[in-house]
């Protein structure tokens, strides 16, 4: 049985495990928790600057250590990676029942991967690319400069929506 990453705990457990909060009351996630959460969802969004505009596109991804990797067909994402452009990658999850969720943001540079041994290694990570991009897809790695995350704290039992 699959379990959500947003598991309800007793108030005492929540109080003991809470991370520091930001000015809006969101928990500031430590680096290791950010990496763990990135590995729990198959889809994220990559954003970059292209042709004078900010572009945000969904991608399927896997984590390769500390770096998100994804595949893409020839186009704007590949062009951004070939130029080693600054990009942002975001992934998140939200539980409608508990009204809790998290978001992790990776800022870094995109790099296209062309070395055959590295492509073979990445191919074993289990990435399931979009069907349309799968035929002639290129591997892209985001080398993180920073990884940050936030999580909505679980409401106290008396405040939980039903």
């Amino acid at each position: 049985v699959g379990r959500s990453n947003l598991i309800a705990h007793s108030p005492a457990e929540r109080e003991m495990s809470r991370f520091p909060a930001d000015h809006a009351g969101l928990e500031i996630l430590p680096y290791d928790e950010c990496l763990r959460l990135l590995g729990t969802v198959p889809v994220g969004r990559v954003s970059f600057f292209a042709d004078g505009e900010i572009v945000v596109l969904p991608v399927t991804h896997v984590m390769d250590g500390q770096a998100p990797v994804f595949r893409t067909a020839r186009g704007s994402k590949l062009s951004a990676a070939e130029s080693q452009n600054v990009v942002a990658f975001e992934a998140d999850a939200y539980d409608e029942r508990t009204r809790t969720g998290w978001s992790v943001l990776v800022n870094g540079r995109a790099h296209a991967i062309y070395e055959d041994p590295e492509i073979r290694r990445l191919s074993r990570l289990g990435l399931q690319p979009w069907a349309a991009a799968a035929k002639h897809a290129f591997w892209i790695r985001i080398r993180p400069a920073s990884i940050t995350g936030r999580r909505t704290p679980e409401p106290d039992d008396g405040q939980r929506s039903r």
Side-chain angles (χ1 to χ4, degrees):
V1 175
R3 296 188 70 173
S4 169
N5 292 317
L6 307 169
I7 299 171
H9 298 282
S10 73
E13 287 174 314
R14 283 196 308 273
E15 190 62 38
M16 291 187 320
S17 66
R18 279 208 174 122
F19 297 115
D22 67 9
H23 67 280
L26 299 175
E27 294 175 345
I28 301 169
L29 299 175
Y31 183 79
D32 289 345
E33 180 68 357
C34 290
L35 290 178
R36 185 189 73 76
L37 289 169
L38 285 170
T40 66
V41 292
V43 176
R45 283 151 294 285
V46 63
S47 63
F48 52 93
F49 196 71
D51 299 324
E53 297 182 334
I54 296 173
V55 179
V56 181
L57 298 169
V59 294
T60 58
H61 78 284
V62 293
M63 294 301 292
D64 181 29
Q66 301 171 352
V69 293
F70 62 93
R71 295 186 72 187
T72 188
R74 197 169 292 286
S76 59
K77 290 178 282 193
L78 180 60
S79 293
E82 287 179 328
S83 301
Q84 297 185 11
N85 285 0
V86 173
V87 300
F89 176 82
E90 189 273 347
D92 56 57
Y94 180 72
D95 184 321
E96 289 185 40
R97 186 183 59 76
T98 62
R99 298 179 60 199
T100 58
W102 59 266
S103 173
V104 173
L105 179 66
V106 177
N107 285 298
R109 292 197 179 271
H111 297 269
I113 300 165
Y114 296 111
E115 301 80 21
D116 286 336
E118 184 65 358
I119 290 169
R120 283 193 297 276
R121 187 185 71 76
L122 292 172
S123 296
R124 292 190 293 269
L125 295 179
L127 176 65
Q128 299 298 316
W130 303 119
K135 193 167 188 170
H136 299 289
F138 296 86
W139 283 95
I140 308 296
R141 173 181 287 117
I142 299 174
R143 294 198 187 279
S146 68
I147 299 177
T148 58
R150 301 287 189 272
R151 177 169 37 212
T152 55
E154 289 190 26
D156 294 333
D157 290 343
Q159 298 174 346
R160 188 179 303 270
S161 64
R162 298 188 192 276

